[in-house]
Amino acid sequence: MEKTLNNKAWFFVLPVLLLVAFSAVVPLMTVVNYSVQDSFGNNQFFWYGADWFREVLTSERFHDALIRNLIFSAIILAIEVPLGILVALAMPKKGIFVPVCLVLMALPLLIPWNVVGTIWQVFARTDIGLLGYTIDALGIDYNYVRYPLDAWVTVIVMDVWHWTSLVVLLCYAGLVSIPDAYYQAAKIDGASRWAVFRYIQLPKMGRVLLIAVLLRFMDSFMIYTEPFVVTGGGPGNSTTFLSIDLVKLAIGQFNLGEAAAMSLIYFLIVLLLSWVFYTVMTNAGTDKPLKGGAE
Amino acid sequence: MTDHATTAHSSLPGAAHSESALAARSRMKTGHFRWKALIPALYIVFLLLPIYWLVNMSFKTNQEILGGLTLIPTNPTLHNYRVIFTDASWYMGYVNSIIYVVMNMAISVAVALPAAYAFSRYRFLGDKHLFFWLLTNRMAPPAVFALPFFQLYSAFGLIDTHIAVALAHCLFNVPLAVWILEGFMSGVPKEIDETAYIDGYSFPKFFFKIFMPLIASGIGVAAFFCFMFSWVELLIARTLTVTDAKPISAIMTRTVSASGLDWGVLAAAGALTIIPGAIVIWFVRNYIAKGFALGRV
């Protein structure tokens, strides 16, 4: 759409600007402030320069949490995206089951995150949880409190349970926007099921799929509540992701300087990802008229 | 979107001779129906099992929960729910959550509406940067903001009030609402605005009488997403509250650590937090995907 140049539009944006500045810029400035100072307690602060940043960037603890988080995000994407596409492809296109499916699938998305944690904490316990009990009955020595591998599996299955529906819903929205004519043409050409998927469905889902991947990556990159409730970051530090580590550092050990420096580095990574996301979101609209369908 | 699909279908040039193709297609559909339906069915079972287990537990006594595995409560009891509905420290948690969620929803949508209109209709100095900056706040990790928020709201004496949580959640909900609304508003042709001005509508009259009804579904979706993300968030809500405005999800964590063993009440409290979400999903079921794509599917 052609937009008119009008700088008075700023007045429309002003309320948002003030509100978000109050709740984002002021706290962020506090963080910046802490990140360059050190304290002996008693609110006595002194200049510390960039030392906290150097400390965080070279600290093994930060590296470990970062790597752990990246591995976690990679596994999440590797499972949730194909599974989401599969479910979306198999979903009925019309009929009474469509709204039923949509509502039931969206259900986990609306559960408070710590309740999600609680649900899985209980569900995976070997004494009172259905899942843990079943695994135990199969003769597998499973205990997510004791074994790092089991803790990881539990947290990953929980996240798959929690967020795969997001991928499903987005892909489904992309799929129903494909006109029937495309399928009929494919049928006439004698295209195989795989060819239909590869050359019709996948390209038409491309944009929503990209949004899904970016959203899932970013949200899994800042996951806190769910693994915290289930494992508390343990056993040991095996499920301590970036956010959990940050909260431990800031509120647990009250090491404000280092926590602030870590926050800023963390935030810069997220900023970079947001920029990718922004580019995708604002540029992808250009190919719309050609493809019709969507919107 | 489905409307488009049907139009495209009926205006298909080869519709006359595609009868056999259509027949083959429908045959394929029925032939594959059973195994295809199995995938969503299994997926939904996977989603519902843990929820079923929670609800199942909420109707059991603690003895039964700890005594052994029973798939259906042998002595169904409402005791756990009674505990929650008769103890103010429990049920006030729900009231607190609802209060700040609704406050946040109202604030977010109210300030986002004019801003989204500006972004969708005008170019202005720094608009792209501003739009991007808003998005970065949606993507900001709450863990980064928890402690500075506490200090900021302490300075204003707002700790343990509903408005503090509502304002703090604006950090990610206002950008979300602006993006979603902008997506919906961009779908409304600009000619409508211009026609309204020619017809002598003032801007407020145009905005409330003509424009808002046109994007009513967008407002609904934006409100839903504000509700959703404020409802599920815990870290910030817990940091900013002590007792008077404590959300239900934080009260739950407290009870786990304090008594440790009251699984029945914990399950009942958890089951009750699922209900508001389940109700509102029904109204936006066809728009959820569009909302997650920030109004741009």
Side-chain angles (χ1 to χ4, degrees), chain A residues 8-284:
Chain A
K8 284 195 193 116
W10 263 99
F11 288 109
F12 283 159
V13 190
L14 208 59
V16 163
L17 197 66
L18 291 176
L19 191 63
V20 180
F22 177 72
S23 54
V25 177
V26 178
L28 206 59
M29 284 302 115
T30 326
V31 176
V32 173
N33 194 20
Y34 279 133
S35 71
V36 291
Q37 298 187 68
D38 198 8
S39 164
F40 290 134
N42 312 328
N43 277 329
Q44 297 267 306
F45 287 93
F46 61 88
W47 178 251
Y48 203 60
D51 283 11
W52 284 126
F53 291 92
R54 213 165 294 134
E55 209 150 301
V56 170
L57 284 173
T58 53
S59 101
E60 210 166 294
R61 177 178 163 170
F62 177 73
H63 289 169
D64 287 352
L66 182 66
I67 289 167
R68 235 177 265 133
N69 216 152
L70 286 172
I71 295 174
F72 175 73
S73 296
I75 297 177
I76 288 301
L77 285 177
I79 298 175
E80 289 181 7
V81 172
L83 183 65
I85 294 175
L86 185 71
V87 175
L89 284 174
M91 254 176 77
K93 295 285 176 294
K94 45 185 91 97
I96 182 176
F97 286 112
V98 174
V100 175
C101 278
L102 287 178
V103 170
L104 287 178
M105 284 179 185
L107 205 55
L109 302 173
L110 265 285
I111 300 176
W113 292 344
N114 71 313
V115 178
V116 171
T118 309
I119 288 176
W120 279 87
Q121 191 195 25
V122 172
F123 194 57
R125 275 176 70 115
T126 45
D127 51 348
I128 60 171
L130 188 59
L131 179 71
Y133 188 88
T134 313
I135 296 174
D136 207 41
L138 291 173
I140 299 163
D141 186 16
Y142 168 85
N143 187 337
Y144 67 86
V145 188
R146 281 236 308 275
Y147 307 122
L149 181 69
D150 295 358
W152 267 79
V153 170
T154 311
V155 171
I156 285 168
V157 172
M158 174 176 68
D159 199 82
V160 168
W161 178 84
H162 192 184
W163 286 110
T164 304
S165 297
L166 171 73
V167 185
V168 175
L169 291 171
L170 282 167
C171 287
Y172 183 71
L175 280 177
V176 293
S177 73
I178 303 175
D180 250 6
Y182 283 58
Y183 293 114
Q184 284 163 5
K187 199 77 212 164
I188 291 162
D189 290 348
S192 66
R193 183 72 195 80
W194 168 251
V196 170
F197 174 70
R198 175 65 189 79
Y199 297 106
I200 299 177
Q201 290 171 326
L202 199 59
K204 291 292 277 185
M205 278 195 298
R207 210 170 87 87
V208 277
L209 206 54
L210 201 55
I211 294 172
V213 167
L214 284 167
L215 273 180
R216 276 320 298 132
F217 182 76
M218 272 183 287
D219 286 344
S220 64
F221 200 66
M222 50 199 204
I223 191 166
Y224 171 80
T225 314
E226 303 95 310
F228 182 77
V229 172
V230 175
T231 65
N237 273 333
S238 58
T239 51
T240 303
F241 303 117
L242 280 174
S243 278
I244 299 180
D245 201 29
L246 180 59
V247 173
K248 269 186 189 167
L249 200 61
I251 293 166
Q253 305 170 6
F254 222 71
N255 193 343
L256 291 181
E258 198 178 339
M262 182 177 162
S263 294
L264 288 178
I265 295 167
Y266 193 0
F267 196 68
L268 281 179
I269 301 174
V270 172
L271 205 67
L272 195 73
L273 295 168
S274 301
W275 183 77
V276 176
F277 189 88
Y278 176 81
T279 319
V280 168
M281 288 299 240
T282 47
N283 287 353

Side-chain angles (χ1 to χ4, degrees), chain A residues 103 106-107 110, chain B residues 98 101 105 220-221 223-228 231 273-288:
Chain A
V103 170
L107 205 55
L110 265 285
Chain B
I98 299 272
V101 166
M105 218 163 80
V221 174
F224 167 78
F225 272 83
C226 292
F227 173 92
M228 171 179 167
W231 178 253
T273 62
I274 301 177
I275 294 171
I279 294 169
V280 288
I281 292 176
W282 180 258
F283 295 104
V284 291
R285 59 188 180 280
N286 295 322
Y287 293 103
I288 296 176

Side-chain angles (χ1 to χ4, degrees), chain B residues 3-4 20 29 32 44 76 167-168 176 192 216 225 228 235 282:
Chain B
D3 293 15
H4 271 272
S20 59
K29 258 192 172 169
H32 285 247
I44 288 174
L167 282 175
L176 186 73
I192 291 186
F225 272 83
M228 171 179 167
L235 181 58
W282 180 258

Side-chain angles (χ1 to χ4, degrees), chain B residues 157-178:
Chain B
L158 285 173
I159 290 296
D160 210 18
T161 56
H162 299 108
I163 190 74
V165 184
L167 282 175
H169 281 178
C170 282
L171 170 73
F172 43 83
N173 273 350
V174 167
L176 186 73
V178 172

